[in-house]
Amino acid sequence: MAEVEPIKHSLSSLLGGLSVALVVTSGISLYRSIDLARLLIRHGADVTAVLSDKAARLVSPELFRWATGRRPVSRLTGRAEHVSICAEADLLVVAPATANTIAKAALGVADDVAATCIHAALGAGARPVFVPTMNLSMWRNPALQEALSRLRSWGAWIVEPKVEEGKAKYPEVEEVAESVIDAAAPRDMSGLRVLVTAGPTREHIDDVKYISTPSSGLTGMYFAREAAARGAEVALVAGPGVKAPPNVKAVPVVSVLDMYRAVAELAPSQDLMVFSAAPLDFYVAEKASGKISSDLAEYSVRLLRAPKIAAEARRLNPRAYIVGFKAEVGAPEEELIRRARARMEEGGWDLVLAHDVSEMGFGTLKDRYIAIYSDGKVERLGPAHKRELARAVLDRAVRALRR
């Protein structure tokens, strides 16, 4: 275990206290599961690798011993590893999952170490995640798709492969890890409708140039992903460059007025709204057509104040739980809290998350918030991974909504 202790929880504790049986089959991309094992550990998981016979011949099991800090399983012995490890696991991750492995899992076949581990883990109630990789013709085979549908009906998470060059390839390991975190999330938001705003807006000066903010949209993306994993019906109003996660309805927008109109249409039907986007406070009064000449010595742009999207939310929906954000640069904490509280009262929010984006926030994986509630309570969250912060905030919102 000494090999993994320095990295454990280094990204988050989203998988803290959970055991993962990582089943590795003989897809040619199986070497990527070494990086996956390390990434799951960085999120707090305890990982044990189970290698099929062919996988153990392609890559030395010793690499997985180094990656996980635990003895990998490549054959079953009198220790009954399929019970002591796989049936005791909280999560079953099959990566890569070959077509043969998926078919056997769907039919309950247990004829080798990998299939037996899957069989035992599914029977014991582990939450399963499959990462299919194969030739594209095999991926499109109706029999395989039927097997995947059967696994989905049992609650399995299927991580869509990256389809290119005639192959269904192993996705980025970060996406696989996020899917494992999805599978591990509590299922306490079923029936709730959630609106999240994310990312920047762009106000075009001409057809080429625009004014924007440096928001990456990561905060909103993680809020949307976490809520969807917990069973909510999620709409993500996303500015340019923000990609919606799986199982989330994307509502792409460009300008601040686009975002305002999208929110106004969706807001009345929501139970929870999270306004994590960083839209511009102004829009361009007269956009030039074409491209402004670079020969000009100067060029003036007139900006008009944009409507405050989050400030309108309470009027549009008096019953929803509303989470707003207040970003400042270099403000003393006392002043940050004062400004955030004023914005919360102005918008009628239930919770405001104040943060200083000069320290962390824009484009970073981690952040810290000062959470200020409408009853006057102040709570400090982080620094932590943005998804971990999203989980903490949604925990509090769900408790409030259930009350």
Side-chain angles (χ1 to χ4, degrees):
M1 292 296 292
E3 299 92 338
V4 301
E5 287 307 316
I7 68 167
K8 196 168 186 183
H9 299 279
S10 61
L11 272 178
S12 81
S13 295
L14 288 160
L15 297 174
L18 298 178
S19 57
V20 175
L22 175 59
V23 176
V24 182
T25 65
S26 59
I28 198 65
S29 57
L30 65 88
Y31 66 93
R32 302 195 68 183
S33 291
I34 297 169
D35 291 333
L36 175 62
R38 302 289 282 183
L39 188 54
L40 296 177
I41 292 166
R42 290 180 191 278
H43 284 293
D46 296 314
V47 180
T48 302
V50 179
L51 279 66
S52 70
D53 294 340
K54 289 182 180 177
R57 291 199 295 271
L58 288 170
V59 172
S60 170
E62 286 302 306
L63 286 173
F64 283 93
R65 183 195 292 268
W66 166 82
T68 66
R70 296 169 179 267
R71 184 176 67 86
V73 177
S74 55
R75 64 187 182 90
L76 298 179
T77 69
R79 297 187 181 92
E81 291 86 353
H82 61 298
V83 176
S84 61
I85 293 172
C86 303
E88 295 296 321
D90 298 297
L91 292 152
L92 166 71
V93 180
V94 186
T98 61
N100 191 48
T101 300
I102 290 167
K104 288 195 287 188
L107 294 173
V109 175
D111 63 349
D112 64 10
V113 60
T116 303
C117 177
I118 294 168
H119 193 81
L122 291 176
R127 293 186 178 183
V129 178
F130 286 79
V131 185
T133 68
M134 62 200 71
N135 186 276
L136 197 56
S137 60
M138 299 175 73
W139 170 248
R140 290 172 174 164
N141 187 313
L144 178 84
Q145 293 302 320
E146 187 175 325
L148 290 171
S149 295
R150 192 170 191 181
L151 292 173
R152 286 190 185 97
S153 73
W154 297 342
W157 291 75
I158 309 299
V159 186
E160 291 294 313
K162 183 164 59 174
V163 176
E164 62 182 18
E165 298 175 341
K167 297 178 179 64
K169 294 184 177 181
Y170 202 120
E172 298 300 323
V173 292
E174 290 80 8
E175 176 57 29
V176 179
E178 287 295 336
S179 296
V180 176
I181 295 168
D182 290 343
R187 303 290 190 270
D188 57 356
M189 294 183 71
S190 180
L192 294 178
R193 302 188 72 179
V194 178
L195 168 66
V196 181
T197 67
T201 59
R202 291 177 181 174
E203 309 308 317
H204 277 267
I205 299 168
D206 62 15
D207 291 331
V208 176
K209 294 177 281 297
Y210 57 81
I211 307 169
S212 188
T213 66
S215 172
S216 66
L218 279 175
T219 296
M221 187 277 292
Y222 281 123
F223 266 100
R225 184 157 198 157
E226 177 69 15
R230 293 165 76 152
E233 180 184 334
V234 183
L236 179 66
V237 179
V242 181
K243 183 181 177 183
N247 305 312
V248 169
K249 176 187 175 184
V251 183
V253 297
V254 175
S255 73
V256 64
L257 294 180
D258 293 339
M259 185 171 283
Y260 178 81
R261 285 188 285 265
V263 169
E265 181 178 344
L266 292 165
S269 61
Q270 305 301 312
D271 299 295
L272 168 63
M273 292 186 276
V274 180
F275 292 101
S276 57
L280 283 170
D281 298 318
F282 302 90
Y283 64 93
V284 176
E286 295 95 15
K287 174 194 162 189
S289 60
K291 180 179 179 291
I292 299 165
S293 173
S294 59
D295 295 331
L296 295 174
E298 62 178 58
Y299 185 84
S300 298
V301 176
R302 188 164 67 98
L303 301 177
L304 300 179
R305 183 183 177 91
K308 290 288 187 184
I309 295 166
E312 289 286 305
R314 180 58 72 202
R315 179 184 64 80
L316 294 165
N317 187 332
R319 64 177 182 82
Y321 190 94
I322 299 177
V323 179
F325 278 72
K326 186 69 175 85
E328 293 288 350
V329 176
E333 184 176 291
E334 185 178 330
E335 179 63 14
L336 177 59
I337 293 172
R338 187 193 68 77
R339 294 180 190 177
R341 182 174 280 123
R343 181 62 58 84
M344 176 179 63
E345 292 170 355
E346 174 191 337
W349 302 340
D350 298 279
L351 167 61
V352 60
L353 302 173
H355 59 153
D356 186 340
V357 293
S358 66
E359 296 180 3
M360 59 177 67
F362 286 143
T364 62
L365 265 181
K366 295 192 175 185
D367 206 344
R368 62 161 64 91
Y369 305 144
I370 301 174
I372 305 157
Y373 299 83
S374 57
D375 63 4
K377 179 184 173 185
V378 176
E379 182 182 20
R380 286 161 180 79
L381 302 174
H385 191 283
K386 286 182 174 178
R387 179 156 184 178
E388 199 163 11
L389 290 170
R391 179 169 293 183
V393 172
L394 290 177
D395 286 345
R396 288 148 179 79
V398 168
R399 285 198 296 268
L401 283 167
R402 296 306 183 200
R403 286 198 297 267

